[in-house]
Amino acid sequence: MQFQRPHNLRRQSIYLLPNLFTLAALFAGFYAIVQAMNKNFDQAAVAIFIAMVLDGLDGRVARLTHTQSEFGAQFDSLSDMVSFGVAPALVAYEWMLRDFGKLGWIAAFIYCAGAAMRLARFNANIEVVDKRWFQGLPSPAAAAMVAGLVWISHEYAEELTPISGALPYLALMFTLFAGLTMVSNVRFWSFKELHMRRTVPFFALLITTLILLIIVAKPPLMLFCVFIGYGISGYVYWLYRWIKPNKE
């Protein structure tokens, strides 16, 4: 005996293209976890940065192709939790935090919980917040700070030999800073006011080209510095507003 499907129940479909980017970002985060378990920490760090690139593409592809959907938004949020919440926490723990014992896994959990709460708050407030600013450090930037430290420690192992004994403490500090800043009320510029279709002076193109060349020359170091600067920028702006409260 066969049961007929009620006519009011329709099979739901999803848009393939943007969700493929989201799925690839999720895979990169999962791959980072696997590589951390195998002690390949440099590959794990690179995988997190690849997840960042893919995460930045899925939303833009959806908007360009007019394929935004509620499923895509929820899938992207869950992918972010794995790639920028769980993966960096586990990479940092397996890399350096394990030696701290209980303090190490507590720091890793603080980061992981901070990422979860940051994503939940973003989803809940998406319609009411000022689009120019992020409330708290975005989870991809937080992941870049943690993964960036891992990446440069392997890329410049010989240069960092004199301070190798301080790396565990730096890892602990960066993990806690990133995790707590994600759930802070510190505002970070969202870059959503940048419009690529606007005309700019020719000099701006030269500066952009120079920045890209510098990043390509030393990707680990320059990307790490960029995200460190971004992570500090929110506190600099908070201090500026505290000194001059009437200034926006």
Side-chain angles (χ1 to χ4, degrees):
M1 179 177 180
Q2 294 183 345
F3 293 93
Q4 298 295 327
R5 181 186 297 271
H7 293 291
N8 61 343
L9 293 180
R10 294 181 302 176
R11 180 176 298 176
Q12 295 183 352
S13 59
I14 62 173
Y15 294 108
L16 180 61
L17 185 59
N19 289 304
L20 278 178
F21 283 93
T22 305
L23 185 63
L26 176 62
F27 173 78
F30 177 78
Y31 181 81
I33 295 173
V34 172
Q35 293 306 311
M37 295 169 62
N38 293 330
K39 310 300 181 184
N40 298 322
F41 300 113
D42 54 339
Q43 296 181 31
V46 172
I48 291 174
F49 277 96
I50 292 175
M52 288 180 56
V53 175
L54 294 169
D55 179 66
L57 290 174
D58 59 1
R60 287 168 174 79
V61 169
R63 287 189 292 272
L64 287 172
T65 56
H66 303 290
T67 53
Q68 303 100 316
S69 66
E70 182 62 24
F71 173 86
Q74 297 302 323
F75 187 28
D76 180 69
S77 184
L78 293 172
S79 173
D80 287 353
M81 183 59 211
V82 174
S83 298
F84 310 130
V86 178
L90 291 178
V91 170
Y93 178 76
E94 291 290 336
W95 177 51
M96 287 290 178
L97 300 184
R98 179 188 290 273
D99 294 337
F100 287 99
K102 183 181 294 186
L103 178 61
W105 66 257
I106 288 176
F109 176 74
I110 288 175
Y111 177 93
C112 189
M117 288 186 283
R118 169 68 177 79
L119 290 166
R121 183 172 65 179
F122 176 81
N123 292 338
N125 297 338
I126 193 169
E127 299 297 334
V128 297
V129 298
D130 188 343
K131 302 297 184 182
R132 298 173 300 168
W133 305 97
F134 290 125
Q135 184 182 11
L137 184 66
S139 57
M145 292 179 63
V146 175
L149 181 63
V150 178
W151 196 5
I152 65 167
S153 71
H154 285 77
E155 191 74 17
Y156 301 98
E158 294 183 2
E159 293 86 344
L160 295 175
T161 299
I163 62 168
S164 59
L167 280 177
Y169 300 97
L170 286 174
L172 181 67
M173 181 185 70
F174 270 67
T175 304
L176 289 173
F177 174 83
L180 294 174
T181 303
M182 279 190 286
V183 294
S184 70
N185 289 322
V186 177
R187 299 202 298 179
F188 292 85
W189 190 31
S190 68
F191 297 98
K192 292 181 179 179
E193 287 187 318
L194 290 177
H195 298 287
M196 296 301 179
R197 295 183 179 180
R198 289 182 179 176
T199 59
V200 296
F202 182 73
F203 183 72
L205 180 60
L206 293 177
I207 294 296
T208 303
T209 303
L210 179 61
I211 292 173
L212 289 175
L213 288 175
I214 293 174
I215 292 177
V216 170
K218 295 184 179 294
L221 181 60
M222 294 311 302
L223 287 173
F224 181 64
C225 290
V226 166
F227 284 103
I228 288 296
Y230 184 69
I232 296 174
S233 67
Y235 291 97
V236 173
Y237 180 68
W238 172 84
L239 183 62
Y240 172 77
R241 292 188 66 210
W242 182 72
I243 295 173
K244 297 182 178 181
N246 293 328
K247 298 289 184 179
E248 178 59 33

